[in-house]
Amino acid sequence: MQKKFLFFIGLIFILGSPVFGQEQPAQKYAATIKASDLHELLTIIASDALEGRKAGSRGQKMAAAFNTEEFKNMGLQPIVPGPCGPGYLQSFTLAKYDINSIYLANDKQTFDLSAAVLYAGRQALQQPQSAPALLIDTTRLKGNNLSDRAVFITGRITNRQRQQQLSALAYQKGAAMVVFVPFGSQNEFNGYWRNVRHFFASRRYSFLNEIPAQEGNGYFVIGPAVLAALLEVDNEEITKLLGNPTGKKARQLNNQQPVIRWLTSKPGRTLETENVLGYLEGGDKKDEVVVITAHYDHIGRQGNNINNGADDDGSGTASVLEIARAFSRAKAEGNGPRRSILFMTVTAEEMGLIGSQYYTLHPVLPLSQTVVDLNIDMIGRYDPAHKNNKNFVYLVGSDKLSADLHQLSEQTNATYTQLQLDYTYNDENHPDRIYYRSDHWNFAKNNIPIIFYFSGVHEDYHRPTDTVDKIAFDLLEKRARLVFHTAWAIANRDARLMLD
Ligand SMILES: [Zn+2]
């Protein structure tokens, strides 16, 4: 008896009073997230009738209408401003860009994307542009005049965020084009190119008539072999130049001003697509908002085969709807969250994280008041690495911007869901670069802490065989409950999540 009592006191001490105080309602509403409901939702979202939900297609519109109906029925508010009052849909127009038109050249040779050249950006140009080359070391970027130069930046800049920051700086200083040369060895560059090229090249669509100003003309990334060809120096000389980019050789070269030409992508046909937003207003801290996202678009048909995208990302979409329902029920019974929650199923993820980017460029609630994005993409299965321990989920990004968030996430899982949290993909050096590959990245880019939930890739990834019958609904339920509990804890605690 006494032992039991001491254990109980100990438990209160371990859990801490805030968590303990919330335990009852949180668990009550988490229990309303059920495998059977998720199955029902996913059967509709991943049905053949929706034809693979490709952004802009009839199937995507049907999915948007379904999500809207669900949000409406559970009592979430519309929050997207419109001419006839607020709505649930955030619409925008995309143009298809012809990436085959992209190249970098001098007057002797042309290098397009098939030649181990990477291009990130969406500036639409009908005519090629040209400018004299300037080879410069990363550290000298600030002090130099870059006006109307094609600026080749040396130094090991392999991180996309860093590339974006530095190219923005170069454009501010008048650069006409930015080209990164991150490796001195062509072999090393080839390895990098193989890992990241799908990500760079996947950007075939972009906003019509809207290029975020800081993106300028975008940027190229090349290896030393292409650099040597463009600057018309031999390989030995390029090694010297890259080893000492501020030395005499580099100064000579910069005075000669070899002219570089480039063409970026041309806009083609357009399509319209929609994010679907449902808003649950909070209580005493309602100005702060927790965002929960999953993409509901997928890759459409391949001939007669439909890519149902049950796991990718029907599993996340069904989870967002089911989590929203649990929070709505809590609010209806007087247990609503203190902070507001924005439930958002986003579009055009498969075209390059475009829907979430559109949202972060046009947020309906200030990003400065957005405390977290919990993003779900593929949590309905298990990968070969976990076939003997399916009680897991991969977490990515939880510790990148806020140690506070990471700790809360760990504690929440330990208290409620006891999943094995696998951080394999959280490693910056992991070749799959998952941190940059789903919608949370657009929030992280804006310095908003994120957690990405993921259960790994499998043989049915982006194939017509990614179907509902392959989903492990018991696991899906458990992972959705983890997201729910984490959101609940963030939305209800006293202090806003702290940035590091
Ligand atoms: Zn996905």
Side-chain angles (χ1 to χ4, degrees):
M1 186 74 187
Q2 205 185 15
K3 242 186 187 167
K4 253 189 186 160
F5 180 71
L6 280 175
F7 174 72
F8 182 67
I9 294 290
L11 199 66
I12 291 176
F13 184 73
I14 291 164
L15 296 177
S17 55
V19 170
F20 189 73
Q22 290 160 19
E23 195 172 8
Q24 292 308 323
Q27 277 176 317
K28 177 181 167 192
Y29 298 109
T32 68
I33 295 171
K34 289 200 189 105
S36 55
D37 292 349
L38 290 162
H39 185 272
E40 207 173 286
L41 289 166
L42 191 54
T43 303
I44 296 166
I45 294 161
S47 65
D48 283 353
L50 271 56
E51 298 173 324
R53 309 185 302 277
K54 186 172 179 156
S57 73
R58 184 178 60 172
Q60 177 254 303
K61 310 279 177 201
M62 286 167 72
F66 177 71
N67 295 349
T68 300
E69 247 350 83
E70 287 292 310
F71 282 162
K72 203 185 281 180
N73 290 341
M74 58 182 88
L76 296 189
Q77 291 170 30
I79 194 174
V80 184
C84 322
Y88 292 93
L89 299 180
Q90 184 180 45
S91 305
F92 53 92
T93 305
L94 294 178
K96 186 165 189 172
Y97 283 75
D98 176 15
I99 61 168
N100 295 319
S101 64
I102 300 171
Y103 67 75
L104 196 56
N106 59 13
D107 54 10
K108 295 206 175 66
Q109 287 186 76
T110 298
F111 299 93
D112 64 17
L113 297 193
S114 65
V117 164
L118 298 165
Y119 174 71
R122 283 111 7 103
Q123 189 65 289
L125 296 173
Q126 301 292 352
Q127 298 297 327
Q129 296 191 346
S130 63
L134 179 72
L135 187 73
I136 191 168
D137 182 69
T138 319
T139 55
R140 299 280 179 116
L141 210 49
K142 279 214 173 86
N144 266 276
N145 180 8
L146 311 179
S147 279
D148 301 317
R149 294 282 209 132
V151 182
F152 290 80
I153 302 174
T154 66
R156 209 180 172 87
I157 312 298
T158 57
N159 174 299
R160 263 178 82 90
Q161 191 175 15
R162 193 80 190 111
Q163 289 169 350
Q164 281 164 1
Q165 285 165 349
L166 288 173
S167 67
L169 177 66
Y171 284 119
Q172 253 172 41
K173 295 179 65 61
M177 176 44 75
V178 175
V179 186
F180 289 96
V181 194
F183 298 101
S185 131
Q186 186 63 32
N187 272 345
E188 221 180 333
F189 177 78
N190 289 345
Y192 172 77
W193 176 73
R194 272 193 298 274
N195 283 332
V196 302
R197 71 191 163 118
H198 295 292
F199 189 71
F200 274 77
S202 70
R203 205 57 190 262
R204 287 159 200 263
Y205 287 86
S206 191
F207 310 121
L208 188 66
N209 303 327
E210 177 180 27
I211 304 290
Q214 72 274 20
E215 288 188 17
N217 286 330
Y219 59 84
F220 287 92
V221 189
I222 60 171
V226 172
L227 180 67
L230 286 173
L231 300 182
E232 296 185 53
V233 296
D234 59 35
N235 281 327
E236 210 169 293
E237 234 175 312
I238 213 72
T239 311
K240 278 185 212 154
L241 278 170
L242 289 172
N244 185 9
T246 55
K248 194 173 156 201
K249 274 246 161 343
R251 285 200 298 275
Q252 267 170 9
L253 180 102
N254 286 337
N255 286 335
Q256 286 161 13
Q257 307 203 343
V259 172
I260 304 299
R261 251 175 335 113
W262 65 90
L263 183 65
T264 55
S265 39
K266 288 181 184 169
R269 81 183 167 82
T270 61
L271 62 88
E272 194 148 322
T273 190
E274 299 83 18
N275 292 325
V276 188
L277 286 69
Y279 178 63
L280 188 78
E281 192 175 63
D284 63 324
K285 293 179 183 292
K286 67 178 179 195
D287 290 343
E288 294 177 13
V289 61
V290 170
V291 179
I292 306 179
T293 48
H295 74 88
Y296 74 96
D297 70 302
H298 192 52
I299 56 172
R301 291 166 161 275
Q302 273 154 5
N304 288 329
N305 293 321
I306 295 171
N307 293 291
N308 297 105
D311 192 27
D312 185 10
D313 183 25
S315 63
T317 305
S319 298
V320 169
L321 296 177
E322 187 70 354
I323 293 165
R325 194 139 64 186
F327 272 106
S328 300
R329 196 168 302 176
K331 186 173 174 178
E333 294 175 5
N335 290 308
R338 297 175 69 189
R339 291 181 177 78
S340 299
I341 306 186
L342 178 64
F343 299 94
M344 177 159 61
T345 57
V346 306
T347 187
E349 189 272 354
E350 302 285 7
M351 291 175 176
L353 320 185
I354 294 177
S356 53
Q357 187 183 20
Y358 189 82
Y359 177 80
T360 53
L361 290 168
H362 303 273
V364 298
L365 298 162
L367 294 182
S368 61
Q369 297 284 69
T370 302
V371 303
V372 75
D373 171 44
L374 304 179
N375 182 44
I376 311 168
D377 192 353
M378 298 171 66
I379 57 162
R381 295 183 53 160
Y382 51 88
D383 60 0
H386 292 85
K387 64 176 191 291
N388 297 320
N389 168 28
K390 298 169 187 147
N391 188 48
F392 82 103
V393 65
Y394 290 111
L395 257 55
V396 181
S398 58
D399 62 349
K400 297 268 193 272
L401 295 171
S402 166
D404 192 14
L405 172 61
H406 181 68
Q407 208 221 328
L408 177 147
S409 159
E410 284 272 322
Q411 192 188 338
T412 302
N413 178 59
T415 309
Y416 298 111
T417 36
Q418 292 98 34
L419 284 153
Q420 183 219 336
L421 304 183
D422 188 325
Y423 293 101
T424 304
Y425 290 104
N426 194 44
D427 184 348
E428 275 287 304
N429 296 318
H430 194 286
D432 287 353
R433 302 168 57 80
I434 297 284
Y435 185 54
Y436 307 97
R437 280 183 49 188
S438 187
D439 296 299
H440 55 271
W441 168 238
N442 283 310
F443 290 87
K445 223 161 69 174
N446 284 287
N447 220 26
I448 295 165
I450 66 101
I451 303 179
F452 176 46
Y453 300 87
F454 173 56
S455 56
V457 286
H458 44 73
E459 67 279 11
D460 300 311
Y461 176 71
H462 282 199
R463 287 175 182 220
T465 46
D466 178 6
T467 47
V468 177
D469 56 296
K470 308 249 177 68
I471 299 295
F473 282 96
D474 54 334
L475 296 175
L476 179 57
E477 172 190 280
K478 211 166 185 192
R479 292 162 183 158
R481 286 180 182 181
L482 170 62
V483 180
F484 170 85
H485 275 297
T486 307
W488 182 284
I490 297 168
N492 282 310
R493 67 182 214 162
D494 288 332
R496 178 178 171 159
L497 281 179
M498 259 184 312
L499 280 164
D500 294 342

